[in-house]
Amino acid sequence: MFNKKTVDIAILGAGPAGLTAAHTLADKGMDFVLLDKEDKSHLNHQTIALHPETLELLDAINVVIPVLSQSTHLNRACLYDSHQKQRAVIDYSELTVKFPFIAVIDQDKLETILIDALKEKGYKPKWHHRARCIEQSDTNVAFTVDRLTEGMTGYAVAHMEMEIDKIFDYKANYVIAADGNHSLAREAAGIDYPEITRDLHYAVFELTTETSLPMEMRMIIEGDHTHAYWPMGPRRCRFSFQMNSESSDQDRGGSSPDLENTHLMALLKAHAPWFKAPIHDVTSRKLVHYQTHLADCFGNNRIWLAGDSAHMTPPTGMLSVNIGMHEAADLANRLSTAPNDDVRQFRLHAYNADRTGEWRRLLDIDHHIVGDDSTAKWLLRHRNNIIGNLPASGESLSAILKQLHLTDAA
């Protein structure tokens, strides 16, 4: 019943971060396994926006061409106040980078591209493999993996449930934990995951329209609320409206009045009166509950975090998914280029320092972002709306802050 497995590096979670780590390790010829408790059919269907530096990362692992062909490219992101006055503009075309734009793509399309390209490199995720009982020692990480299969249960009404088909005992020298905000690996490492801001609630709609749409991202700041518009193609878009309600999609589901067409039209009239396109269809509607979390550290000993296992941020700027992919590639590079375990440990502790510092900067925890003119003063008055919501990261962040008349004084 029990099979024993040993591997140098185990990646837990086959989302964008875990798949990026797998590509990086595959390109280095490393011994690794990529495990995910779900099936490929459970790929995430939400929309994401890839920052310029993330496109460079995808270029480095040789998958950027299909990503660019299946995404919508945006050159601008605009910030508006409650009176629909444009207060600031981010112009990505002015950045001195290889890909001076944002690429908007469905997450399941991105993940499918990464999975197919990984298969061409001779690797594939182990779907329906659930890790549990994770314990680390000074020399390795031991954990149990259940291989799951569908089984039929129920007498009066039959239905499908997941059953354990086989159990494996794994030992890995290191674990890259990309297993999401409910990370079992993070818990096994004893790393706290505190909430750093209040809970946020959004009504999210994806629409198709009968006419063309503005091809720029728009962020609308109204008091302590932030609403966002993302075009996903010439006649397709996504709105996220921040709500006062304590509802969530788990609490009230699709039956919530907040998701009805009449409420959608009221939200558009109140927060996006410029949106005049006739709506052809509402392809997705959901209430989403966000908590902003930042782990106390990015790993210890032999378990190291990347992506949502280490942080969760508001949805507007899509920082978590972009930075998480970079973290995963960074971890994989540090593990694959070290000549021995002592050097690995040294580089991993440097990873923790680097990533902790990066997130303090991204979230401006120390309030180092300053500015003096009227644009900067308005932005800083709405610091809590904007910091962590800007679709900007990496080395481009300083240039984008400059476009917004802001400076990081750190």
Side-chain angles (χ1 to χ4, degrees):
M1 184 176 183
F2 288 89
N3 289 327
K4 297 185 182 298
K5 303 279 187 179
T6 59
V7 69
D8 184 23
I9 301 165
I11 307 167
L12 304 185
L19 288 164
T20 301
H23 272 276
T24 306
L25 293 173
D27 291 343
K28 301 287 186 181
M30 300 297 292
D31 174 32
F32 73 94
V33 64
L34 174 59
L35 306 170
D36 196 292
K37 65 181 180 180
E38 303 291 352
D39 192 329
K40 182 180 177 181
S41 63
H42 288 81
L43 297 182
N44 197 313
H45 298 291
Q46 70 182 13
T47 302
I48 59 175
L50 301 172
H51 300 175
E53 278 78 7
T54 306
L55 295 174
E56 292 187 15
L57 171 60
L58 294 173
D59 190 27
I61 59 175
N62 299 309
V63 298
V64 77
I65 291 176
V67 169
L68 293 180
S69 69
Q70 296 185 44
S71 60
T72 297
H73 306 168
L74 305 179
N75 294 323
R76 286 163 44 105
C78 301
L79 283 71
Y80 290 82
D81 64 18
S82 58
H83 302 291
Q84 301 302 313
K85 178 181 178 181
Q86 188 181 98
R87 289 287 191 162
V89 176
I90 299 172
D91 188 343
Y92 295 97
S93 67
E94 293 184 358
L95 300 177
T96 55
V97 294
K98 186 172 183 179
F99 304 101
F101 50 83
I102 292 279
V104 181
I105 189 171
D106 292 335
Q107 185 167 328
D108 58 333
K109 288 184 179 179
L110 172 64
E111 291 174 346
T112 298
I113 291 168
L114 289 167
I115 291 164
D116 291 347
L118 189 63
K119 186 177 180 180
E120 291 180 3
K121 296 178 181 180
Y123 300 88
K124 59 182 180 180
K126 291 185 178 295
W127 303 108
H128 281 167
H129 281 62
R130 178 180 63 195
R132 58 182 174 88
C133 302
I134 303 169
E135 296 182 3
Q136 64 173 332
S137 67
D138 290 340
T139 57
N140 59 50
V141 184
F143 55 98
T144 300
V145 174
D146 301 326
R147 188 174 73 188
L148 305 174
T149 186
E150 286 187 342
M152 186 174 292
T153 185
Y155 178 71
V157 179
H159 60 278
M160 304 301 293
E161 287 188 356
M162 301 309 298
E163 299 177 347
I164 296 175
D165 171 56
K166 188 173 284 190
I167 299 175
F168 302 94
D169 276 346
Y170 267 86
K171 284 189 177 179
N173 291 326
Y174 288 91
V175 165
I176 295 177
D179 51 341
N181 59 310
H182 298 296
S183 171
L184 293 178
R186 184 188 65 237
E187 292 180 11
I191 299 171
D192 287 337
Y193 191 60
E195 187 176 352
I196 59 174
T197 64
R198 62 187 175 87
D199 292 1
L200 302 174
H201 304 269
Y202 294 86
V204 181
F205 300 88
E206 293 188 2
L207 318 173
T208 57
T209 64
E210 297 178 2
T211 58
S212 297
L213 297 168
M215 295 304 290
E216 62 183 20
M217 182 268 184
R218 295 186 176 185
M219 188 188 308
I220 302 102
I221 310 298
E222 297 179 347
D224 61 353
H225 283 43
T226 304
H227 315 295
Y229 158 82
W230 282 100
M232 301 159 61
R235 298 187 179 186
R236 183 171 172 236
C237 67
R238 177 179 187 262
F239 276 99
S240 58
F241 297 104
Q242 189 174 340
M243 310 291 287
N244 290 320
S245 171
E246 291 299 314
S247 304
S248 70
D249 51 350
Q250 292 86 359
D251 297 333
R252 296 170 65 178
S255 62
S256 169
D258 290 336
L259 296 177
E260 293 178 355
N261 284 346
T262 52
H263 192 241
L264 168 60
M265 299 311 294
L267 289 169
L268 289 170
K269 183 177 180 180
H271 308 300
W274 45 266
F275 186 84
K276 304 296 186 182
I279 296 174
H280 175 71
D281 190 19
V282 181
T283 57
S284 174
R285 60 183 85 209
K286 57 186 174 180
L287 291 169
V288 183
H289 172 211
Y290 279 92
Q291 295 176 316
T292 302
H293 290 266
L294 182 61
D296 283 349
C297 65
F298 277 70
N300 60 50
N301 198 6
R302 295 183 175 270
I303 298 176
W304 295 85
L305 313 181
D308 287 354
S309 66
H311 44 74
M312 284 191 69
T313 59
T316 305
M318 306 193 187
L319 286 183
S320 276
V321 64
N322 282 272
I323 302 301
M325 293 170 68
H326 286 274
E327 291 163 352
D330 189 10
L331 270 178
N333 275 314
R334 291 178 194 245
L335 287 169
S336 60
T337 58
N340 56 56
D341 203 58
D342 287 341
V343 176
R344 276 182 161 183
Q345 285 290 321
F346 176 82
R347 290 181 177 177
L348 290 170
H349 283 89
Y351 168 83
N352 176 57
D354 292 346
R355 292 304 170 180
T356 300
E358 178 182 34
W359 275 101
R360 293 191 71 86
R361 180 186 178 217
L362 286 168
L363 300 178
D364 197 29
I365 291 173
D366 302 309
H367 282 215
H368 285 149
I369 294 178
V370 297
D372 291 327
D373 68 9
S374 59
T375 296
K377 289 179 179 178
W378 181 85
L379 292 169
L380 293 174
R381 280 200 304 273
H382 299 279
R383 178 190 295 270
N384 292 338
N385 302 74
I386 293 166
I387 302 302
N389 271 325
L390 290 176
S393 57
E395 295 181 2
S396 295
L397 179 58
S398 293
I400 286 172
L401 288 175
K402 187 176 181 181
Q403 289 187 20
L404 299 176
H405 303 207
L406 298 170
T407 303
D408 187 344

